[in-house]
Amino acid sequence: MIHIEVSTDTVMTCGHDAAVIALANEQVLSTSAQQVDEASQQCLSRYLATGDQKGDFGDWGILYDVAGMQASRLVLVGSGSDDLSLMKLQRLAAKVARQLQKTGVEKASLYFTDLSVGGASLAEKVHAVAQGVWLGLYAFTHHQTKAKKASVLSHISIAVNADADLEQAQAALQKAKAVASGMILARNLGNEPGNVCTPTYLGDQAEALSHPKLDVQVWDKAAIEHQGLRGLLAVNQGSSEEPRFIVLNYQGGKPEQKSIALVGKGLTFDSGGISIKPSPAMDEMKFDMCGSAAVLGVFKAITEMNLPVNVKGFISSTENMPSASAYKPGDVLESYKGVTIEVLNTDAEGRIILADALTYACEQDPACVIDYATLTGACVIALGAQASGLLGNNQDLIDQVHAASMTSGDRAWPMPMFEEYQEQIESKIADIKNTGGRAAGTVTAACFLSRFVDERPWVHLDIAGTAWNMEGSDLCVSGATGAGVALTVDFLEKNAV
Ligand code: BES
Ligand code: MN
Ligand code: ZN
C-alpha cells in the first residue's frame, strides 16, 4: 500500500511534484483553486476561459510552472456537475491516483477536503480520499513473472485546512487504512486462482491473522465429520481437496457483551458439480469464496483498528466438483441441524454449506448473524454490480446494515422475504429442496438459509454481483472488489461499546 499522510500545506506552499485540485463543471472555484488563481494573476481563470477542460468527472489537465507555486505541476481533475457524494469523491481519488501513476510524479498532494460533499465531515472526506487512492492503485500481480514498468508514485498527501484538523484527519486516515487493508486481503484471496486458494489455503490465511484478542480454529475433514457438518461434507464429496471449517473469535469488547456472528461462503471453485455449469466464464467461479474473503477481510480490519466489539466468524469451505463420488441430483441429505434437503441441483451448493455454518453459528449464541455469499446468479440479474442483495428476518437489523452500506459506499439493497416465497422450496420427499425455481431466485435462496437460523436477528448479503468485476471500475481495476468489508466495519463501529 502506498504511503499516505495528511498535511496542512496549501497549494502554493506544497513542496511535492504535483498539487491536485478539483474542477467542477460549473467552474465555481474551490478554496484551493481560488488561492492559486489569485496568486498567479488569474492563471486558472484564463485556462478555464480557453474551454480546454470542462470539469467533467475525471477529465484531466496539467499546468506547469504556475507563477507563485512551489510544485512544478498543477493538476486539474474534473469533479463533474453534480454535488459530489462521498462515493464519488472516493472514485475521483482512485481515478487521480491511477492517472498520476502513469506520470513521472513521485509525490503528490490532493486538495480535495475543501470540496463540498453533501454534509460530509472532514473525517469522512479524508477517509473517502484515502480509501479511493489505496483501492484504485490495487493490482493483483502475484503470478506475473515479468514485472510491468514500475510506477514512481510513492507518496500521497491529503491536504486539510488547519492544524486543528490534523488530529481527526489522522484518525480517519488510520481507519481508512484498516478498512483498505481488509479489502485488499479480501481481494487477494478472491483473485488467487482455485489451484492456489483451496479450502486448506483459506484456513492457513485465517490462521495467519494474528492479534492478542483473536483466536482462530481451523477444522480439518475429520473434525468436520466429528461435528457432523453433513451438508458441507456432501458438497465436498466430489472433490479431492479436503474441506475446512474455520472459526474465528475476536473479543475486543466487554466480556459480557454478546458477539456478532459473521458467516461466509467459501466455495474455492464452483464447477456446479454433476449439474455442471456451462464452460464460458466458469473460471470466474474461483471467486465463489468471496463471502469468506469478506469475513476474513473484516477480521483483518477490526483487529488493525482494535475495535472494541466482540465478533465471531464461521467459514464453510470446499470445492464443488463432479466425480464418481460426488453428490447427485435427487440425493437427500441430512443437514447438521437435522433438516433434510432434497438436492435438485448440485449447483445450488452454497446454501447447503451455509446451512450448517448458520446452525453452528446460532449455537454459539451470538447477538445477531450476518452472512456473506456469492449465492445466486439471480442477484446479478436483479442488482448488477451496484448493490448486494440484502435479506433477513429482522427489520431493525436490515435497516442498520442498509444504513451502514450507504454511508460506506459498499451498497446493499433490501429485497422482500414474504412468507409465501417459502412455499417454493417445499419438497415432496424431504423437508425442503435446494432450488426454488427460476422466479425470485435470490429470495428463495435466502428462504432456504432462513430455515437454519433461529429467532435471533439475521441478515443475508448476496454478493454475487458485487464481489468481483471483470470489466473493472474506478475503484477496482479488475477482479475481486472486497465487497462486504467496508459496510461491515461501519456496522460494527456503530455497535462498538
Ligand atoms: N456461485 C453460484 C452463484 C453465482 C452465479 C454467482 C453466477 C455469481 C455469478 C451458485 O452456487 C449457483 O450456482 N447458484 C445457482 C442456483 C440455482 C441452481 C438454483 C444459480 O444462481 O444459478
Ligand atoms: Mn453453484
Ligand atoms: Zn456457488
Side-chain angles (χ1 to χ4, degrees):
M1 280 165 82
I2 194 176
H3 176 77
I4 306 185
E5 64 185 19
V6 289
S7 92
T8 51
D9 287 347
T10 68
V11 206
M12 306 315 291
T13 61
C14 163
H16 290 154
D17 310 315
V20 185
I21 62 175
L23 191 68
N25 270 158
E26 299 84 12
Q27 304 208 337
V28 181
L29 297 184
S30 66
T31 317
S32 308
Q34 280 170 29
Q35 277 173 20
V36 203
D37 205 39
E38 280 160 26
S40 66
Q41 278 137 18
Q42 285 71 47
C43 167
L44 204 51
S45 299
R46 281 180 279 122
Y47 171 68
L48 293 178
T50 63
D52 288 358
Q53 193 181 350
K54 306 273 184 304
D56 292 340
F57 190 76
D59 72 7
W60 185 260
I62 305 184
L63 302 184
Y64 295 90
D65 301 321
V66 173
M69 273 185 67
Q70 275 191 44
S72 57
R73 300 174 185 80
L74 175 65
V75 175
L76 300 143
V77 62
S79 59
S81 59
D82 309 328
D83 217 17
L84 267 185
S85 62
L86 280 169
M87 231 180 126
K88 257 184 130 171
L89 179 62
Q90 198 178 330
R91 284 172 45 207
L92 189 72
K95 265 183 180 294
V96 165
R98 248 192 262 169
Q99 193 72 26
L100 284 171
Q101 219 180 12
K102 297 181 193 155
T103 69
V105 171
E106 286 173 39
K107 298 183 174 182
S109 293
L110 309 183
Y111 293 85
F112 290 168
T113 58
D114 59 359
L115 299 172
S116 102
V117 181
S121 67
L122 173 71
E124 286 174 313
K125 288 190 248 185
V126 170
H127 183 103
V129 172
Q131 195 158 305
V133 169
W134 278 316
L135 296 179
L137 292 180
Y138 171 84
F140 183 69
T141 54
H142 290 187
H143 299 285
Q144 284 164 351
T145 57
K146 270 199 263 171
K148 296 212 177 89
K149 223 176 98 197
S151 149
V152 295
L153 184 66
S154 67
H155 192 117
I156 297 272
S157 161
I158 300 173
V160 299
N161 249 331
D163 284 343
D165 294 335
L166 279 174
E167 200 178 310
Q168 43 167 326
Q170 193 61 47
L173 184 62
Q174 249 182 31
K175 182 191 155 194
K177 185 163 194 186
V179 177
S181 60
M183 290 178 74
I184 285 170
L185 172 66
R187 287 181 175 194
N188 282 336
L189 294 173
N191 288 329
E192 281 296 352
N195 61 327
V196 174
C197 183
T198 59
T200 308
Y201 178 91
L202 275 183
D204 293 346
Q205 295 294 306
E207 273 173 347
L209 292 171
S210 113
H211 186 278
K213 292 177 177 168
L214 176 68
D215 176 66
V216 179
Q217 300 292 326
V218 179
W219 301 359
D220 62 8
K221 186 172 175 184
I224 294 167
E225 280 168 348
H226 183 254
Q227 186 68 38
L229 305 184
R230 291 177 293 270
L232 174 57
L233 290 166
V235 174
N236 179 252
Q237 246 169 247
S239 170
S240 46
E241 287 290 340
E242 267 212 14
R244 288 289 183 266
F245 191 76
I246 306 168
V247 182
L248 305 107
N249 186 2
Y250 171 70
Q251 295 291 304
K254 298 204 179 90
E256 66 274 15
Q257 185 195 19
K258 278 192 183 184
S259 293
I260 292 169
L262 312 179
V263 176
K265 170 178 173 182
L267 242 295
T268 59
F269 185 71
D270 179 13
S271 69
I274 297 296
S275 313
I276 197 160
K277 289 181 181 291
S279 303
M282 203 208 266
D283 58 292
E284 292 181 28
M285 284 300 122
K286 72 171 186 179
F287 293 114
D288 210 17
M289 35 54 67
C290 284
S292 64
V295 172
L296 294 177
V298 170
F299 277 90
K300 169 105 182 148
I302 61 175
T303 51
E304 249 183 68
M305 294 164 75
N306 282 309
L307 202 65
V309 63
N310 296 334
V311 187
K312 289 183 177 162
F314 305 91
I315 290 170
S316 260
S317 183
T318 176
E319 287 182 338
N320 183 22
M321 297 293 278
S323 83
S325 60
Y327 80 137
K328 305 173 295 295
D331 285 1
V332 173
L333 318 172
E334 194 195 342
S335 63
Y336 172 55
K337 191 177 187 181
V339 174
T340 57
I341 301 166
E342 182 187 12
V343 177
L344 287 181
N345 189 321
T346 64
D347 198 9
E349 83 299 334
R351 61 198 74 184
I352 297 173
I353 67 165
L354 278 173
D356 286 356
L358 286 168
T359 306
Y360 184 78
C362 287
E363 284 176 1
Q364 312 314 306
D365 195 29
C368 64
V369 181
I370 307 178
D371 80 71
Y372 306 78
T374 48
L375 204 60
T376 63
C379 195
V380 188
I381 303 302
L383 299 172
Q386 304 311 327
S388 304
L390 171 58
L391 305 99
N393 63 3
N394 180 287
Q395 194 57 44
D396 185 46
L397 184 62
I398 291 172
D399 291 344
Q400 283 184 51
V401 171
H402 182 220
S405 85
M406 296 310 285
T407 46
S408 62
D410 184 6
R411 291 182 299 207
W413 204 259
M415 288 170 135
M417 279 189 76
F418 306 128
E419 66 176 58
E420 287 76 7
Y421 286 117
Q422 296 280 353
E423 293 162 17
Q424 284 177 242
I425 57 167
E426 258 153 44
S427 164
K428 293 204 173 71
I429 69 157
D431 295 333
I432 50 174
K433 55 188 183 184
N434 78 330
T435 61
R438 276 168 55 78
T442 302
V443 176
T444 56
C447 288
F448 183 98
L449 299 180
S450 74
R451 305 297 183 104
F452 299 89
V453 292
D454 45 25
E455 296 75 42
R456 77 192 74 232
W458 154 76
V459 299
H460 158 61
L461 286 160
D462 193 330
I463 59 170
T466 49
W468 73 94
N469 183 337
M470 299 317 280
E471 305 84 57
S473 68
D474 292 336
L475 291 171
C476 179
V477 180
S478 164
T481 59
V485 175
L487 81 84
T488 308
V489 174
D490 208 276
F491 170 81
L492 292 174
E493 257 196 309
K494 288 175 187 152
N495 281 273
V497 281

